[in-house]
């Protein structure tokens, strides 16, 4: 087919007819398209909406049940969280419960035995705990009645003077003793009678025995810190002479320091031969034969600050006990940030040593014989030591701490 310009002729299609054919085809296309996109009837539209509503109702029902389930689950979660919170609260108060338990046991003992410790504890519960400078616990045994009497008549104030010492100077002094293996036996009754007479015992929950001194020391500190709020807690043997004012002045200068462990520091050999004095059954823990102990205070007298006594009270059930109590105490502080203070005024010899030092104005806080680990024949000789080495009664009452 050929195209021609201008009008039509035989055997050809003019431009005008071609244009009309295109317009006609376009109109037919529009008509066909409109029929294909005709909107459905209203009834046909309602069915999908009904399905949607039914679907929405099912979803709403499911959501409602899910919300109820989620609410229940949330309540269960809250209950678990509350239980977890309660456990945490119990963990946070376990330390105070431990010390309160020790105090309750001591209170029960004192109530049964009529000890004045009970009166002090009841007062502290009602009006708040008073702050003391130091608590001196004198380690004693059932058989040491003569030693206790020699201390009562030399360096330890008695009766109203002892009460005055507590009230004015903030110094508590008690003989520390536990109970026999058979509670209520004759030795226990003897201590109860002695306590009724003097009122200067601190009874602790401990079975007495020479090989149980580490446990006794631990129980003493735990009980003392629960009964009295003091800056320092002192342990001293009942065959040692003590100048209370001098000891108080030494400790009062350290009151602002945290975690203080003061005494005459030593590091003796670990004895591995059975039958010798101070034999260490667990010598293998300290390495090869011939090794020495870590630094620790000699057992005749030492003092620790309140935070260390509290540490012992909280952890008393897991602190290991060696056969020697001074070694045990030193081991409890290994790994802690503790200041070890070596003060030789806490381990002077008996006359002439302490006598010469007193004459030179360097009064000793404690005196004993190293060869006896205390004053040899202390029941009789402590009078000699007191007469020659004591600081004097006025020094105590005039002292300011």
């Amino acid at each position: 087919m050929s195209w021609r310009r201008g009008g039509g002729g035989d055997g050809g299609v003019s431009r005008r007819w071609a244009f009309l054919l295109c317009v006609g085809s376009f109109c037919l296309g529009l008509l066909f398209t409109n029929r294909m996109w005709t909107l459905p009837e209203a009834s046909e539209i309602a069915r999908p909406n009904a399905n949607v509503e039914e679907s929405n109702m099912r979803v709403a029902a499911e959501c409602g049940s899910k919300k109820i389930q989620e609410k229940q689950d949330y309540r269960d979660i809250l209950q678990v969280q509350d239980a977890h919170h309660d456990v945490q609260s119990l963990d946070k108060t376990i330390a105070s419960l431990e010390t309160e338990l020790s105090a309750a046991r001591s209170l029960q003992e004192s109530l049964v035995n009529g000890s004045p410790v009970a009166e002090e504890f009841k007062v502290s519960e009602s009006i708040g705990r008073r702050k003391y400078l130091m608590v001196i616990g004198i380690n004693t045994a059932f058989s040491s009645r003569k030693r206790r009497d020699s201390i009562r008549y030399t360096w330890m104030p008695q009766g109203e003077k002892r009460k005055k010492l507590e009230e004015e100077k903030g110094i508590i002094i008690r003989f520390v003793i536990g109970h026999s293996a058979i509670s209520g036996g004759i030795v226990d009754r003897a201590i109860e009678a002695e306590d009724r007479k003097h009122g200067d015992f601190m009874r602790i929950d401990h079975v007495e025995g020479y090989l149980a001194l580490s446990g006794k020391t631990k129980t003493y500190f735990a009980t003392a810190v629960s009964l009295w709020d003091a800056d320092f807690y002192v342990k001293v043997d009942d065959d040692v002479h003590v100048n209370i004012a001098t000891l108080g002045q030494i400790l009062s200068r350290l009151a602002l320091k945290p975690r203080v462990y003061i005494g005459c520091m030593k590091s003796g050999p670990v004895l591995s031969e059975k039958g010798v004095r101070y034999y260490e059954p667990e010598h293998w823990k300290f390495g090869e034969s011939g090794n020495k102990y870590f630094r620790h205070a000699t057992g005749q007298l030492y003092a620790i600050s309140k935070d260390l006594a509290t540490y012992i009270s909280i952890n008393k059930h897991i602190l290991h006990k060696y056969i020697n109590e001074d070694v045990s105490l030193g081991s409890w502080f290994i790994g802690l940030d503790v200041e070890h203070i070596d003060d030789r005024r806490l381990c002077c010899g008996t006359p002439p040593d302490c006598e010469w030092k007193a004459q030179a104005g360097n009064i000793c806080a404690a005196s004993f014989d190293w060869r006896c680990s205390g004053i040899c024949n202390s029941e009789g000789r402590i009078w000699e030591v007191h007469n020659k080495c004591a600081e004097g009664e006025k020094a105590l009452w005039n002292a300011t701490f």
Side-chain angles (χ1 to χ4, degrees):
M1 181 183 295
S2 62
W3 293 89
R4 294 180 181 178
R5 295 181 182 179
D10 296 337
V13 180
S14 67
R15 292 183 178 180
R16 182 178 297 173
W17 283 108
F19 176 75
L20 291 175
L21 285 173
C22 289
V23 171
S25 298
F26 178 75
C27 292
L28 288 174
L30 286 178
L31 179 62
F32 179 77
T33 303
N34 287 337
R35 287 185 61 84
M36 292 295 295
W37 287 97
T38 302
L39 293 176
E41 296 295 332
S43 59
E44 295 177 352
I45 298 176
R47 287 196 190 97
N49 288 342
N51 294 335
V52 171
E53 289 178 0
E54 292 176 1
S55 176
N56 289 339
M57 291 177 65
R58 288 195 300 269
V59 171
E62 292 175 359
C63 290
S65 61
K66 288 182 179 179
K67 287 181 179 178
I68 294 174
Q69 183 64 33
E70 290 175 356
K71 186 175 183 181
Q72 184 65 34
D73 293 342
Y74 184 67
R75 288 178 178 175
D76 294 339
I77 293 172
L78 287 178
Q79 290 177 355
V80 173
Q81 290 177 342
D82 291 340
H84 182 66
H85 177 72
D86 292 340
V87 171
Q88 287 182 328
S89 299
L90 289 175
D91 289 340
K92 290 180 181 179
T93 57
I94 189 71
S96 60
L97 291 177
E98 287 280 356
T99 55
E100 287 176 8
L101 178 59
S102 298
R105 287 173 177 170
S106 299
L107 177 60
Q108 183 181 14
E109 287 286 343
S110 61
L111 287 173
V112 172
N113 301 327
S115 171
V117 174
E119 296 297 328
E120 294 168 359
F121 183 66
K122 286 186 288 187
V123 170
S124 67
E125 285 293 292
S126 60
I127 63 176
R129 303 182 74 190
R130 175 188 166 174
K131 187 72 172 180
Y132 294 92
L133 171 63
M134 61 180 173
V135 175
I136 302 176
I138 306 172
N139 185 31
T140 191
F142 291 119
S143 61
S144 300
R145 174 63 186 265
K146 291 183 178 180
R147 288 186 178 184
R148 292 192 292 273
D149 285 339
S150 66
I151 289 177
R152 290 183 179 115
Y153 297 130
T154 53
W155 62 267
M156 179 180 178
Q158 291 297 295
E160 293 300 322
K161 289 184 177 180
R162 183 167 57 84
K163 294 181 180 180
K164 180 181 178 182
L165 183 67
E166 297 174 3
E167 295 172 358
E168 296 185 4
K169 303 300 180 181
I171 299 175
I172 303 288
I173 306 177
R174 294 288 188 275
F175 288 106
V176 180
I177 197 166
H179 56 83
S180 63
I182 303 175
S183 182
I186 186 171
V187 291
D188 290 305
R189 294 197 299 270
I191 291 295
E192 291 169 5
E194 187 179 346
D195 193 21
R196 285 193 295 269
K197 179 179 179 180
H198 298 282
D200 54 6
F201 276 93
M202 174 183 171
R203 304 298 300 275
I204 62 176
D205 185 16
H206 171 79
V207 178
E208 287 291 327
Y210 179 75
L211 298 179
L213 291 179
S214 294
K216 183 176 182 178
T217 299
K218 182 165 56 174
T219 304
Y220 157 63
F221 283 122
T223 307
V225 77
S226 70
L227 293 176
W228 298 287
D229 182 11
D231 291 326
F232 289 94
Y233 298 85
V234 183
K235 178 263 174 181
V236 59
D237 289 340
D238 61 3
D239 55 355
V240 174
H241 183 274
V242 178
N243 282 323
I244 302 173
T246 303
L247 179 61
Q249 290 171 350
I250 292 173
L251 295 182
S252 63
R253 297 189 184 101
L254 304 172
L256 297 180
K257 289 190 174 185
R259 298 177 299 280
V260 171
Y261 173 34
I262 180 172
C264 290
M265 298 295 165
K266 64 176 183 178
S267 179
V270 180
L271 302 179
S272 58
E273 297 180 9
K274 290 185 178 180
V276 300
R277 192 177 186 183
Y278 306 127
Y279 162 68
E280 178 57 72
E282 297 179 277
H283 56 85
W284 57 273
K285 289 185 177 180
F286 299 92
E288 301 298 329
S289 178
N291 280 359
K292 291 185 177 182
Y293 286 115
F294 39 78
R295 298 289 288 178
H296 61 279
T298 185
Q300 285 81 2
L301 185 149
Y302 48 72
I304 61 175
S305 55
K306 178 184 176 181
D307 41 8
L308 294 182
T310 303
Y311 172 81
I312 293 175
S313 177
I314 295 173
N315 299 283
K316 61 183 179 181
H317 298 300
I318 60 174
L319 294 176
H320 183 70
K321 301 186 294 293
Y322 290 101
I323 193 67
N324 299 306
E325 56 96 9
D326 52 354
V327 172
S328 294
L329 183 72
S331 70
W332 298 338
F333 301 148
I334 291 179
L336 303 182
D337 188 11
V338 175
E339 182 175 1
H340 293 61
I341 298 179
D342 183 20
D343 195 322
R344 293 291 147 174
R345 289 175 292 176
L346 303 181
C347 56
C348 295
T350 55
D353 181 38
C354 60
E355 183 180 12
W356 291 343
K357 291 177 180 178
Q359 292 174 355
N362 188 21
I363 299 176
C364 295
S367 302
F368 57 89
D369 298 311
W370 282 101
R371 68 182 184 276
C372 298
S373 297
I375 298 175
C376 301
N377 186 24
S378 62
E379 298 90 342
R381 289 192 62 240
I382 197 171
W383 289 92
E384 173 195 353
V385 177
H386 185 69
N387 290 332
K388 294 182 178 180
C389 301
E391 59 197 354
E393 187 174 359
K394 291 184 178 179
L396 177 59
W397 302 115
N398 294 335
T400 56
F401 305 120

